Amino acid sequence: MPDRPFIETIDVVKTYKVGSSMVTALDHFSIGIEEGEMVAIMGPSGSGKTSLLNMIGGLDRPDSGAVRVKEVEINRLGEEQRARFRKNNIGFIFQFFNLIPSLTAIENVLVPVMFERETPVKRAGELLERVGLGDRFDHLPGMLSGGERQRVAIARALINDPMLILADEPTGNIDSETAREIVSLFRELNDEGKTLILATHDRIVAGRAKVMIKIRDGRMVRGKAHSRDGMRSLSPDKGGGVPE
Amino acid sequence: MRDRENRLATRKRAKKSAPWGTPKKLTPLGYMVREVWRNRSRTFMSAAGIASLALLFILFSSMEQGLDDHFRGETEDVPTEESIELFKVKQVMDDWVYLISALCWTLMVLVIVNTATITVVERKFELASLRALGLSSVQVSFLVGSSMMLIVSFGIMAGIIASVVIIPLLDIANLSLLGGGLDLPLVYDPISIVNTLLLGLGAGALGLIPPLLMIIRSSPMEVLRDAG
Ligand SMILES: Nc1ncnc2c1ncn2[C@@H]1O[C@H](COP(=O)(O)OP(=O)(O)OP(=O)(O)O)[C@@H](O)[C@H]1O
Ligand SMILES: [Mg+2]
């Protein structure tokens, strides 16, 4: 198929069962994201941002619809295959950093590759230097500030040189000054050609992305949507979005 | 240049922060040992539990062996009163030894299930993060499983070492309490060491099944969400 976007979700539906009722997290959600883009996903709490990132990152599977990343239909892969896909292609950055408390900064950067025969210690060190933690190699996460922890997490996300970086509220737990630095780092990575998708509440963070997508109740309310008949600009009143 | 020196100096200072310094690499084994060390008080308790059960098991084996040996060499025509009493004990032991061994083993399995389950539940967030970062559930199970096996080995080793010291001492002290005033012979049978090792390995393997199933069944996403 010619010119399929780098990442696309087609008609993705995801519902969660809560007790006896169903919550729709993603409601026929379609989007196409080109390689090298930097996309901010905004929306109120519970609008489905995390669910969308989880789909793209292969952490979760849609009830229906398709998720394609780099021509791989990841919704068809099994759990283990998705794990491998994640490791090789996707860098994850989480709101709560998710560092391993018993491991030092540099060891945390090496976590995704610890089962590999060759440990790229040198690369891990370079990445830490790059995110400005050249003097924190041997610190445990408990000895680092929130911003420093997030930078360790960014270095970790880069260890396998992924083409896609997914960040779920990466600045949710750090002060705005540090957040600005983190976003600059994201911009730098994007300038180097990496595709970034960030879910965020922070307007300043979102403002520095190239594309902004707003979602509400699992539907896109503003942004560029993608459907089977190709790319088109989308506004809420033209279908596909939520009628307001 | 000066900048670089400064950085090196800071690096040196930073070294103090973690006792093991900058690692040459990160291996699953290294990570596992670190985790075991971090939870050392629980590691110690579980290992102590396993050690006491191993010791109990070896003690009973030695009692049985002692009685067996005692009666194998028996040539007296008129058995002494003590011999009759001992024979009674032996009969009871023969009936009970399997039950007691089985009980030791069951308790060992329970200690392992318990410790491993607590580990998995407590480290749920961490384990889910590992999987989100691309480790497979098999690799994560390996991490948890091998750290449990390390604890089991500690326990079994400690139990064996304790038995090597304690059983001869008990034999000298004549175990008069247990035998109801009788001089119960204890014979340390080296085979029981092998048996204990097998016992521990078996208990470890069985005890790990439920917690490892928990890991394999859980989705990395669900768990990440829980913690958030
Ligand atoms: N595992 C789950 N079980 C039940 N409901 C869920 C689950 N995951 C998500 N939901 C529901 O799906 C909807 C979308 O959730 P999601 O986490 O994607 O929103 P979000 O935009 O990331 O919100 P926030 O900004 O608070 O992080 C919410 O209504 C949420 O309650
Ligand atoms: Mg969220």
Side-chain angles (χ1 to χ4, degrees):
Chain A
M1 221 169 282
D3 283 351
R4 302 231 55 132
F6 183 55
I7 297 162
E8 64 179 339
T9 70
I10 303 169
D11 242 11
V12 165
V13 176
K14 180 71 195 180
T15 51
Y16 292 103
K17 231 175 117 177
V18 181
S20 55
S21 63
M22 301 292 278
V23 177
T24 306
L26 292 172
D27 189 3
H28 298 278
F29 195 96
S30 297
I31 189 176
I33 294 171
E34 296 299 335
E35 186 156 19
E37 270 190 291
M38 179 165 171
V39 180
I41 302 171
M42 290 197 79
S45 189
S47 54
K49 302 183 294 295
T50 299
S51 305
L52 179 61
L53 284 187
N54 285 344
M55 293 298 153
I56 295 172
L59 282 178
D60 205 356
R61 278 165 137 164
D63 300 341
S64 68
V67 180
R68 196 175 293 127
V69 177
K70 202 177 91 175
E71 313 213 316
V72 179
E73 213 163 301
I74 51 176
N75 54 303
R76 295 198 180 194
L77 302 180
E79 183 82 61
E80 300 293 271
Q81 286 171 303
R82 275 183 285 147
R84 200 167 325 127
F85 185 81
R86 276 199 296 277
K87 200 187 86 189
N88 295 328
N89 302 293
I90 298 174
F92 267 104
I93 296 161
F94 308 95
Q95 179 175 1
F96 299 99
F97 324 127
N98 298 36
L99 300 179
I100 309 294
S102 59
L103 300 180
T104 61
I106 193 160
E107 288 171 325
N108 263 291
V109 176
L110 289 167
V111 159
V113 293
M114 73 171 133
F115 276 91
E116 240 119 274
R117 227 161 295 140
E118 301 267 315
T119 329
V121 181
K122 196 160 156 270
R123 177 169 166 77
E126 286 162 5
L127 287 170
L128 278 181
E129 303 251 359
R130 153 130 213 228
V131 298
L133 294 176
D135 54 352
R136 296 280 192 280
F137 281 23
D138 305 323
H139 285 238
L140 292 172
M143 309 164 179
L144 298 172
S145 71
E148 288 171 333
R149 284 182 217 182
Q150 193 58 302
R151 281 185 279 168
V152 174
I154 293 170
R156 178 181 62 186
L158 296 173
I159 189 76
N160 276 319
D161 199 18
M163 41 168 206
L164 172 63
I165 294 170
L166 301 177
D168 193 0
E169 313 212 10
T171 57
N173 278 307
I174 46 192
D175 64 83
S176 55
E177 188 51 45
T178 320
R180 232 180 290 267
E181 284 169 31
I182 300 269
V183 180
S184 299
L185 200 55
F186 284 156
R187 273 303 283 254
E188 236 179 78
L189 291 171
N190 180 240
D191 290 340
E192 286 163 24
K194 300 213 180 295
T195 309
L196 276 98
I197 307 180
L198 343 159
T200 185
H201 284 293
D202 189 336
R203 257 165 220 296
I204 298 165
V205 172
R208 300 214 44 195
K210 292 181 185 160
V211 179
M212 204 206 292
I213 289 167
K214 285 197 173 163
I215 66 175
R216 176 173 299 159
D217 299 330
R219 286 163 171 254
M220 197 185 305
V221 287
R222 211 188 84 196
K224 219 165 41 166
H226 177 261
S227 70
R228 262 176 270 257
D229 24 279
M231 301 291 289
R232 66 199 156 115
S233 215
L234 181 119
S235 57
D237 51 337
K238 271 201 213 145
V242 107
E244 276 180 320
Chain B
M1 210 53 216
R2 153 91 26 104
D3 214 353
R4 197 182 136 70
E5 270 166 27
N6 275 342
R7 216 166 37 212
L8 284 177
T10 352
R11 178 98 53 87
K12 250 184 219 125
R13 245 180 292 126
K15 273 243 159 72
K16 267 190 233 127
S17 43
W20 46 85
T22 307
K24 292 282 176 301
K25 57 187 175 189
L26 174 68
T27 59
L29 223 67
Y31 171 39
M32 182 195 91
V33 171
R34 204 73 64 67
E35 275 305 318
V36 168
W37 176 248
R38 182 161 71 105
N39 297 318
R40 53 194 171 276
S41 50
R42 180 160 2 105
T43 301
F44 179 77
M45 295 303 275
S46 312
I50 292 167
S52 0
L53 289 166
L55 177 62
L56 202 64
F57 175 75
I58 298 177
L59 182 62
F60 271 93
S61 304
S62 307
M63 274 159 97
E64 217 211 353
Q65 190 64 37
L67 288 166
D68 273 356
D69 284 7
H70 185 83
F71 286 104
R72 195 176 302 127
E74 197 67 55
T75 46
E76 301 156 73
D77 293 327
V78 188
T80 60
E81 205 163 297
E82 191 180 337
S83 251
I84 293 168
E85 283 300 312
L86 265 184
F87 194 72
K88 281 185 191 154
V89 174
K90 178 171 158 51
Q91 280 177 319
V92 176
M93 277 289 289
D94 283 348
D95 289 344
W96 286 76
V97 73
Y98 292 107
L99 188 74
I100 288 166
S101 305
L103 208 64
C104 280
W105 195 68
T106 311
L107 285 173
M108 217 182 262
V109 173
L110 287 178
V111 170
I112 292 162
V113 172
N114 195 35
T115 313
T117 307
I118 292 173
T119 305
V120 170
V121 170
E122 195 184 73
R123 289 172 63 199
K124 188 155 97 154
F125 185 60
E126 185 178 326
L127 300 180
S129 310
L130 291 177
R131 288 178 63 193
L133 293 170
L135 299 199
S136 69
S137 54
V138 174
Q139 290 171 328
V140 173
S141 302
F142 172 82
L143 286 172
V144 173
S146 53
S147 60
M148 262 328 284
M149 279 317 221
L150 192 71
I151 296 175
V152 173
S153 323
F154 282 158
I156 296 288
M157 285 304 158
I160 290 173
I161 292 168
S163 72
V164 171
V165 178
I166 290 173
I167 290 178
L169 286 179
L170 281 179
D171 195 29
I172 294 166
N174 281 347
L175 259 197
S176 42
L177 272 178
L178 266 170
L182 284 171
D183 178 7
L184 201 58
L186 282 176
V187 172
Y188 200 106
D189 182 6
I191 289 292
S192 66
I193 294 183
V194 179
N195 285 341
T196 315
L197 283 175
L198 292 177
L199 197 79
L201 283 182
L206 197 70
L208 276 172
I209 292 173
L212 293 192
L213 278 181
M214 255 169 83
I215 295 178
I216 287 166
R217 290 224 189 98
S218 68
S219 141
M221 185 282 301
E222 292 283 337
V223 186
L224 282 180
R225 184 176 291 277
D226 271 9

